[in-house]
Amino acid sequence: MTDYGRLNDIQGIDALLKRLVSVSSEKAVSSREQHPGLPEDYVEFLLRIGAGEVGSQNYMIYTGLIPAEEIYGERKLVGRVLLFGDDLCGFAAGFDTQTWRVVEVDTEDPTAVDVAPDFATFIAQKFSEIASWQ
């Protein structure tokens, strides 16, 4: 079980999380079946904390994974990146399905850039960053 309790150390975390809604266990099971190897920390986050808008239109965590080509078209990422969220301004984040590390993608240059070893690390960093803007 991932320790998401460390998110409580982020000043203003309640305001960031208030719009998130937990996904159903059926949705989580479906995601696991569709994507073998899907990181458990990601699934646990969706079940325990949720998906939706983070903060005041600062970030969106999707209720499920979206193939990168649905947003970026047939480019370098096809079949390799599954997106789980975006900053509502052109940067999306997701998993490199070859390594399950977290990557970010820019709409201007849709190349996956490795940004975190796992979802828990990424989301803690992202929430800290967003909290600093508030």
Side-chain angles (χ1 to χ4, degrees), residues 9-131:
D9 296 336
I10 299 171
Q11 187 172 0
I13 191 66
D14 291 338
L16 297 182
L17 300 179
K18 72 181 180 182
R19 294 184 178 155
L20 299 184
V21 177
S22 298
V23 301
S24 69
S25 57
E26 292 82 13
K27 177 104 174 138
V29 167
S30 175
S31 290
R32 284 183 183 122
E33 289 173 353
Q34 286 180 307
H35 310 290
L38 184 63
E40 190 59 33
D41 60 343
Y42 166 73
V43 176
E44 186 178 336
F45 182 90
L46 292 179
L47 289 168
R48 288 180 47 202
I49 298 173
E53 188 178 313
V54 177
S56 178
Q57 298 182 343
N58 297 114
Y59 203 80
M60 177 66 70
I61 298 173
Y62 312 147
T63 58
L65 297 171
I66 299 172
E69 60 265 21
E70 284 188 24
I71 294 175
Y72 298 102
E74 298 290 328
R75 298 189 188 168
K76 302 173 191 172
L77 304 172
V78 176
R80 185 170 167 186
V81 174
L82 294 171
L83 303 172
F84 57 70
D86 68 72
D87 69 358
L88 306 172
C89 293
F91 277 89
F95 296 110
D96 178 327
T97 58
Q98 293 180 345
T99 63
W100 293 105
R101 292 178 61 88
V102 176
V103 296
E104 283 187 328
V105 183
D106 180 357
T107 54
E108 297 298 316
D109 177 22
T111 302
V113 177
D114 189 307
V115 294
D118 54 58
F119 181 80
T121 301
F122 171 81
I123 208 67
Q125 291 170 345
K126 184 58 68 178
F127 283 3
S128 291
E129 177 186 342
I130 293 168

